Amino acid sequence: MFQGRAFLAALLCFSLTIELGESFVPFNVSYDNRALLINGKRRMLISAGIHYPRATPEMWPNLIAKSKEGGADVIQTYVFWNGHEPVRGQYNFEGSYDIVKFVKLVGSNGLYLHLRIGPYVCAEWNFGHANALLEMDNLQICYM
């Protein structure tokens, strides 16, 4: 089970590295017991949650822009593994599951990204995806 997940995580990281390439500017993050320091400056970050597969890619720019207009510095999202691997060994990064496109849009708007890698999704998403993970290994869940 975890071998496929490790492959998915590595593929995602590799894809993001290739796609973002030169547009990603590294920054230093630390903490001084009072606040986060980003490149030496104290920051209080405001986060907005956008679940990319719950909207069409055409909606993403507007959702991200409205989040920024509302004061968000960070967009947080889960990685919806059961959408990216609907069948064991078959990966999907197209349409609403094009996470690379979503990440690039967040960055191009000057926002940070908090990527919640999972695999559990606590967002009213198919039993948090735990059910699908367990079924993949022929385990049974007893509902009362």
Side-chain angles (χ1 to χ4, degrees), residues 2 45 51 61 63 73 115 138:
F2 291 107
L45 300 174
H51 299 160
L63 291 170
D73 304 292
L115 192 60
N138 297 318

Side-chain angles (χ1 to χ4, degrees), residues 59-92:
M59 296 168 67
W60 295 344
N62 190 35
L63 291 170
I64 293 167
K66 285 182 179 179
S67 297
K68 185 174 182 176
E69 289 169 17
D73 304 292
V74 180
I75 300 295
Q76 73 82 22
T77 191
Y78 291 99
V79 175
F80 294 84
W81 289 39
N82 62 336
H84 291 295
E85 189 182 9
V87 176
R88 185 179 286 239
Q90 294 179 5
Y91 302 100
N92 175 22

Side-chain angles (χ1 to χ4, degrees), residues 18-40:
I18 289 174
E19 292 294 325
L20 296 176
E22 296 174 14
S23 67
F24 176 75
V25 178
F27 49 91
N28 184 14
V29 178
S30 59
Y31 181 70
D32 70 354
N33 293 322
R34 290 184 61 203
L36 283 176
L37 295 160
I38 300 177
N39 290 333

Side-chain angles (χ1 to χ4, degrees), residues 11-143:
L11 178 65
L12 178 62
C13 290
F14 181 69
S15 297
L16 290 174
T17 301
I18 289 174
E19 292 294 325
L20 296 176
E22 296 174 14
S23 67
F24 176 75
V25 178
F27 49 91
N28 184 14
V29 178
S30 59
Y31 181 70
D32 70 354
N33 293 322
R34 290 184 61 203
L36 283 176
L37 295 160
I38 300 177
N39 290 333
K41 296 180 183 176
R42 283 199 175 110
R43 294 287 309 267
M44 184 164 115
L45 300 174
I46 307 298
S47 176
I50 300 175
H51 299 160
Y52 59 94
R54 290 188 163 143
T56 64
E58 295 77 26
M59 296 168 67
W60 295 344
N62 190 35
L63 291 170
I64 293 167
K66 285 182 179 179
S67 297
K68 185 174 182 176
E69 289 169 17
D73 304 292
V74 180
I75 300 295
Q76 73 82 22
T77 191
Y78 291 99
V79 175
F80 294 84
W81 289 39
N82 62 336
H84 291 295
E85 189 182 9
V87 176
R88 185 179 286 239
Q90 294 179 5
Y91 302 100
N92 175 22
F93 291 94
E94 297 177 357
S96 291
Y97 290 100
D98 189 346
I99 191 170
V100 173
K101 180 178 181 179
F102 181 77
V103 169
K104 288 172 73 174
L105 283 170
V106 170
S108 70
N109 279 272
L111 299 172
Y112 297 108
L113 179 71
H114 175 201
L115 192 60
R116 300 175 75 172
I117 296 173
Y120 183 77
V121 174
C122 185
E124 297 80 35
W125 186 267
N126 187 25
F127 299 104
H129 183 52
N131 192 29
L133 288 172
L134 293 173
E135 287 178 2
M136 290 176 91
D137 286 328
N138 297 318
L139 297 174
Q140 298 296 317
I141 296 177
C142 178
Y143 297 100

